[in-house]
């Protein structure tokens, strides 16, 4: 094994590597973007969070109950330019993926001065489940990851060059990230890890970091000032602030769930790459350059692991922090296998990861080969996406006998109400019934159906009509039951009711955050 440093001083070799690396990067991006485009065009229906964020775009505001405003404005822009459809919504995610890959590629080139490290890092990134899901399904994680990758690139370049322009670009991406999701505040750990041991320097940079954080937070502060600070109450509740005990009764189970989820979602194949590289046997590792790329994600993951023994932590919460780890692994693999010709030695984990992604994103092909469900339907995350387009068509048929424009579509769930707003013909306003026993959501800040529509209510739910809903809807005139099948298994039953005499104040509004 060669012990030459990663930085190659031969100008002819460097020029060849640069040309080869750029060509391979854009060729790779072309193939990946094409495959993703085909998937989003022919892929599953929007899942409920995607539909909810799209619905926000029809009610543009300073912010929203659970998130900052950026995703609503991006959806509004794309829908205005290309129309309303599921592929258009997900086009935003695909473009985010292209941008993130570009920033990771440039970071690899600039930070390690190696196009091979950069290209291999992009490959590892694009086969990691956390990245693939965020760049196929458009959520706040898609935008947050883009902001994180941009801020990471320019911050580390600022650390190297000290150029004020790179500092301003870092600040701009921090603002962008704060407008996408409050988790961007955790980028402070990158600032900490990249500032060495100089306490004065750390203090100055963290103080400077706080300014764009506050700027990006300003729209949410304005909205929350007008709405009793409910977003902060919501985040406090999500973080377990309302719990009475520091140690959850199922603390070990939640911790194991978090660790297992990160291995699956962050890609266990990244761990395989580390084992292939055997960094403990590499004498030429530039630890100073690696430190800000691996330490910040490690600290953030450790923090969420500690939180998981108190409160269940969703697997995607730390996902944006992981964009640097594929680059760390690619650098170590580059030191182990230096030439382009040696790259196939590390290709099998990539192939295995791609096969796993195919199983997750399109399990039907394996069912057809095996003649039976290989991945259990209830373990398939896509089953929750099944049937919403057909439900929208069913509601269209259900309301044909009602006076046009003189009915309201309501549900007991914001998930269902959001999907109906997207998939029912004409994209009508939908409503979510207030209920003191459910958690607050964005519908609670929008008005109830107008008086002209309250005599004809179409109520849609995944459950039979509850006493609380019946108290609000009045007499039921008609009802239907509609089953939803996915991979030949019944996964959901939808109940449709035509009721008359909606009374929006019959049940108290929710107070849980």
């Amino acid at each position: 094994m060669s012990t030459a440093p990663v930085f190659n001083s031969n100008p002819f070799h460097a020029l060849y590597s640069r040309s080869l690396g750029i060509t391979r990067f854009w060729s790779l991006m072309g193939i990946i973007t094409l495959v993703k485009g085909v998937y989003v065009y022919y892929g599953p229906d929007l899942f409920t969070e995607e539909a909810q964020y799209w619905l926000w775009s029809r009610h543009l505001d300073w912010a929203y109950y659970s998130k900052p405003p950026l995703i609503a404005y991006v959806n509004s822009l794309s829908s205005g330019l290309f129309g309303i459809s599921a592929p258009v919504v997900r086009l935003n995610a695909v473009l985010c993926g292209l941008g993130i890959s570009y920033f990771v590629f440039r970071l690899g080139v600039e930070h390690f001065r190696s196009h091979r490290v950069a290209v291999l890092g992009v490959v590892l990134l694009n086969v990691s489940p956390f990245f693939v899901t965020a760049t196929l399904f458009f959520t706040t994680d898609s935008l947050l990851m883009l902001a994180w990758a941009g801020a990471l690139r320019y911050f580390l370049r600022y650390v190297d060059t000290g150029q004020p322009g790179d500092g301003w670009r870092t600040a701009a991406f921090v603002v962008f990230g704060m407008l996408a999701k409050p988790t961007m505040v955790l980028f402070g750990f990158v600032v900490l890890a990249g500032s060495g041991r100089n306490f004065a320097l750390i203090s100055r940079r963290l103080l400077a970091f706080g300014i764009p954080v506050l700027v990006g937070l300003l729209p949410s502060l304005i909205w929350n000032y007008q709405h009793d600070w409910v977003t902060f109450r919501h985040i406090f509740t999500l973080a377990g602030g309302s719990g009475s005990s520091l140690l959850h009764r199922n603390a070990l189970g939640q911790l194991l769930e978090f660790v297992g989820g990160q291995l699956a979602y962050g890609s266990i194949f990244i761990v395989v790459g580390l084992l292939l590289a055997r960094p403990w046997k590499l004498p030429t590792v530039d630890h100073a350059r690696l430190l800000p790329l691996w330490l910040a994600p490690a600290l953030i993951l450790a923090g969420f692991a500690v939180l998981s023994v108190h409160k269940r932590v969703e697997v995607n919460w730390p996902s944006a922090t992981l964009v640097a780890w594929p680059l760390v692994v690619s650098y170590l693999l580059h030191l182990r296998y230096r030439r382009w010709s040696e790259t196939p030695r590390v290709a099998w984990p990539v192939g295995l990861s791609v096969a796993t992604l195919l199983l997750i994103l399109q399990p039907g092909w394996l069912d057809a080969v095996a003649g039976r469900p290989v991945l259990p339907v209830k373990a398939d995350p896509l089953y929750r996406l099944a049937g919403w387009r057909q439900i929208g068509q069913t509601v269209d048929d259900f309301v044909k006998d009602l006076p046009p424009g003189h009915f309201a579509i309501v549900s007991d769930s914001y998930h269902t109400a959001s999907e109906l707003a997207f998939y029912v013909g004409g994209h009508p306003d939908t409503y979510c019934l207030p209920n003191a026993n459910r958690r607050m959501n964005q519908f609670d800040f929008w008005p109830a159906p107008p008086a002209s529509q309250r005599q004809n209510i179409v109520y849609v739910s995944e459950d039979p009509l509850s006493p609380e809903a019946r108290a609000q809807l009045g007499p039921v005139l008609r009802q239907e039951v509609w089953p939803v099948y996915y991979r030949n298994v019944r996964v959901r039953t939808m109940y449709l009711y035509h009721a008359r005499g909606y009374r929006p104040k019959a049940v108290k509004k929710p107070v849980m955050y």
Side-chain angles (χ1 to χ4, degrees):
M1 183 191 71
S2 171
T3 59
V6 68
F7 309 119
N8 197 301
S9 58
N10 185 321
F12 298 103
H13 183 277
L15 181 63
Y16 171 73
S17 179
R18 176 178 180 274
S19 175
L20 184 63
I22 292 174
T23 300
R24 292 190 174 185
F25 169 74
W26 286 113
S27 300
L28 179 67
M29 286 298 97
I31 295 170
I32 290 174
T33 303
L34 178 62
V35 170
K36 286 182 176 180
V38 171
Y39 183 83
V40 301
Y41 187 81
Y42 294 102
D45 299 339
L46 296 185
F47 79 91
T48 55
E49 294 302 316
E50 288 179 295
Q52 179 192 205
Y53 299 143
W54 169 83
L55 184 56
W56 291 0
S57 72
R58 306 187 72 188
H59 303 267
L60 295 178
D61 206 339
W62 284 105
Y64 300 89
Y65 166 69
S66 60
K67 297 292 189 301
L70 183 60
I71 194 165
Y73 285 84
V74 173
N75 271 320
S76 178
L77 177 63
S78 61
S79 295
L81 289 174
F82 305 113
I84 298 172
S85 69
V88 168
V89 171
R90 289 183 174 149
L91 173 65
N92 298 310
V94 174
L95 293 177
C96 284
L98 184 60
I100 297 162
S101 296
Y102 175 76
F103 285 131
V104 169
F105 175 74
R106 295 307 307 168
L107 177 60
V109 171
E110 294 162 358
H111 199 62
F112 296 111
R113 302 177 194 171
S114 168
H115 285 78
R116 183 168 180 260
V117 169
V119 170
L120 184 54
V122 169
V123 170
L124 293 173
L125 177 70
N126 276 272
V127 298
S128 297
F130 79 91
F131 179 79
V132 173
T133 54
T135 56
L136 282 178
F137 306 105
F138 188 47
T139 69
T140 52
D141 285 334
S142 312
L143 294 168
L144 175 65
M145 208 173 288
L146 176 62
W148 194 286
L152 184 64
R153 178 209 174 177
Y154 286 113
F155 174 72
L156 293 183
R157 201 163 81 172
Y158 174 73
V159 169
D160 282 343
T161 67
Q163 293 295 322
D166 293 325
W168 285 110
R169 294 182 186 96
T170 303
F173 276 103
V174 171
V175 172
F176 183 89
M178 291 300 298
L179 290 172
K181 196 173 182 179
T183 316
M184 189 68 197
V185 73
L186 297 177
F187 192 80
F189 284 97
V190 178
V191 176
L192 182 66
S195 298
R197 300 180 181 180
N198 186 325
F199 180 77
L201 180 62
I202 292 172
S203 300
R204 288 197 304 271
R205 286 182 176 172
L206 288 177
L207 182 61
F209 169 71
I211 295 173
V213 166
L214 291 175
V215 172
L217 193 60
L218 187 59
S220 294
L221 291 173
I222 294 173
W223 189 87
N224 275 273
Y225 175 75
Q226 299 168 342
H227 296 91
D228 197 29
W229 306 102
V230 293
T231 302
F232 296 92
R233 298 171 189 262
H234 170 65
I235 293 174
F236 181 74
T237 301
L238 284 182
S242 58
S244 58
S245 173
L246 290 177
L247 199 65
H248 192 274
R249 62 179 181 275
N250 188 32
L252 180 59
Q254 290 183 171
L255 176 60
L256 293 176
E257 179 187 2
F258 173 77
V259 173
Q262 292 310 309
L263 286 174
Y265 192 59
S267 184
I268 195 170
F269 307 109
I270 295 296
V271 178
V272 173
L274 283 172
L275 295 177
L276 283 173
R278 303 190 301 279
W280 55 90
K281 290 188 176 181
L282 292 173
T284 59
V285 175
D286 189 339
H287 293 286
R289 288 192 170 270
L290 279 186
L291 188 67
L293 293 175
W294 72 261
L295 180 58
L299 291 174
I300 293 168
L301 285 172
F304 278 116
V306 171
L307 179 61
S308 71
V309 304
H310 171 62
K311 172 74 171 62
R312 186 174 182 272
V313 174
E314 297 295 335
V315 68
N316 67 305
W317 286 0
S319 59
T321 69
L322 304 178
V323 296
W325 277 9
L327 206 53
V328 171
V329 174
S330 73
Y331 166 72
L332 296 173
L333 287 172
H334 172 77
L335 294 182
R336 175 65 59 187
Y337 308 103
R338 289 191 169 275
R339 294 182 295 274
W340 284 102
S341 59
E342 292 181 302
T343 304
R345 296 190 185 187
V346 298
W348 66 268
V350 172
L352 192 57
S353 185
V354 170
T356 303
L357 287 167
L358 285 175
L359 175 62
I360 295 172
L361 296 173
Q362 200 65 35
W365 70 272
L366 199 55
D367 292 353
V369 173
R372 60 181 179 83
V374 175
L375 178 68
V377 172
K378 289 297 183 181
D380 181 352
L382 297 186
Y383 91 91
R384 294 296 304 173
L385 285 63
W388 291 112
R389 183 183 293 108
Q390 289 77 9
I391 293 168
Q393 294 169 354
T394 300
V395 173
D396 281 336
D397 294 335
F398 190 83
V399 302
K400 282 181 179 178
D401 297 330
L402 299 179
H406 294 286
F407 65 89
I409 299 174
V410 301
S411 179
D412 59 340
S413 163
Y414 80 87
H415 299 285
T416 301
S418 299
E419 295 280 11
L420 293 173
F422 191 86
Y423 282 111
V424 172
H427 308 290
D429 290 332
T430 57
Y431 305 89
C432 184
L433 293 183
N435 188 326
N437 296 318
R438 69 159 170 79
R439 200 175 72 185
M440 194 177 289
N441 63 63
Q442 184 59 41
F443 283 92
D444 296 313
F445 301 91
W446 293 335
S452 62
Q453 298 180 7
R454 294 179 188 174
Q455 294 306 306
N456 288 292
I457 296 294
V458 177
Y459 176 75
V460 185
S461 176
E462 294 189 39
D463 300 299
L465 194 62
S466 66
E468 293 83 2
R470 187 178 293 275
Q472 297 180 73
L473 297 179
V476 174
L477 306 181
R478 176 185 166 204
Q479 67 182 65
E480 288 185 11
V481 178
W482 195 80
V484 176
Y485 291 89
Y486 173 66
R487 294 170 57 199
N488 299 318
V489 175
R490 186 168 178 166
V491 294
R492 191 181 310 121
T493 301
M494 302 302 298
Y495 298 85
L496 284 70
Y497 300 88
H498 173 205
R500 178 164 291 176
Y502 177 53
R503 299 181 292 277
K505 296 182 180 179
V507 175
K508 292 181 179 180
K509 288 191 174 183
V511 294
M512 294 185 293
Y513 301 101

